[in-house]
C-alpha cells in the first residue's frame, strides 16, 4: 500500500477518522547555544530573533507558504524565556495588541 500523503492535502484519513496535519514552526537559528543567545537579545532592533520584528513576520511568511491556510499548532524557539514569544503566540491564539518592536532590515544590530 502507498502510505505517501502529499503535503498539499491538509487532512489525513485512516482508521475511519480524519485529522488535520500538525503544523510545527521551527524557529531555531544557530548551531550553538552561545550564538543563538546573542541573537535573541531583546535589545537588538526588532527585539532579537524572538521579537516582534523577526519572529512575527517569519510566522506570517510560513503560514502563507505552507498552503495550509492556518496557524501553526506548535512554535519551537531557542530561549523561550527571552523576547516576545509568549506575546506573539498569545496574539496569534487570542488576538489583541500588535507588537511595538521595530522591523530590522540590515545592520549589525539586526537579529
Amino acid at each position: 500500500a502507498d502510505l505517501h500523503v502529499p503535503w498539499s492535502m491538509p487532512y489525513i484519513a485512516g482508521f475511519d477518522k480524519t485529522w488535520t496535519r500538525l503544523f510545527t514552526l521551527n524557529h531555531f537559528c544557530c548551531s550553538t547555544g552561545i550564538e543563538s543567545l546573542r541573537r535573541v537579545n531583546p535589545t537588538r532592533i526588532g527585539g532579537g530573533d524572538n521579537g516582534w520584528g523577526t519572529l512575527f513576520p517569519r510566522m506570517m511568511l510560513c503560514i502563507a507558504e505552507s498552503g495550509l491556510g492556518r496557524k501553526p499548532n506548535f512554535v519551537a524557539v531557542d530561549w523561550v524565556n527571552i523576547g516576545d514569544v509568549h506575546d506573539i503566540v498569545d496574539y496569534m491564539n487570542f488576538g489583541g495588541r500588535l507588537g511595538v518592536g521595530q522591523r530590522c532590515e540590515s545592520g549589525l544590530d539586526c537579529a
Side-chain angles (χ1 to χ4, degrees):
D2 184 11
L3 299 177
H4 174 73
V5 178
W7 286 108
S8 60
M9 293 181 64
Y11 298 95
I12 298 174
F15 306 105
D16 297 322
K17 296 182 184 237
T18 302
W19 298 274
T20 57
R21 288 184 177 275
L22 289 178
F23 177 9
T24 300
L25 172 69
N26 290 315
H27 186 65
F28 300 115
C29 75
C30 313
S31 59
T32 68
I34 296 299
E35 184 182 359
S36 69
L37 183 58
R38 182 185 62 77
R39 290 178 54 121
V40 299
N41 184 342
T43 62
R44 300 180 88 186
I45 293 173
D49 271 8
N50 291 351
W52 282 98
T54 303
L55 178 57
F56 184 72
R58 179 153 187 267
M59 189 179 292
M60 295 292 97
L61 178 66
C62 289
I63 289 169
E65 290 187 355
S66 74
L68 297 173
R70 60 188 175 85
K71 301 176 283 191
N73 299 86
F74 302 98
V75 178
V77 298
D78 283 330
W79 308 100
V80 69
N81 59 324
I82 299 174
D84 301 318
V85 176
H86 295 279
D87 290 338
I88 294 167
V89 169
D90 283 350
Y91 174 78
M92 294 300 293
N93 285 330
F94 309 113
R97 73 168 185 88
L98 281 176
V100 294
Q102 305 152 328
R103 177 136 175 102
C104 186
E105 300 297 333
S106 64
L108 296 175
D109 289 328
C110 290

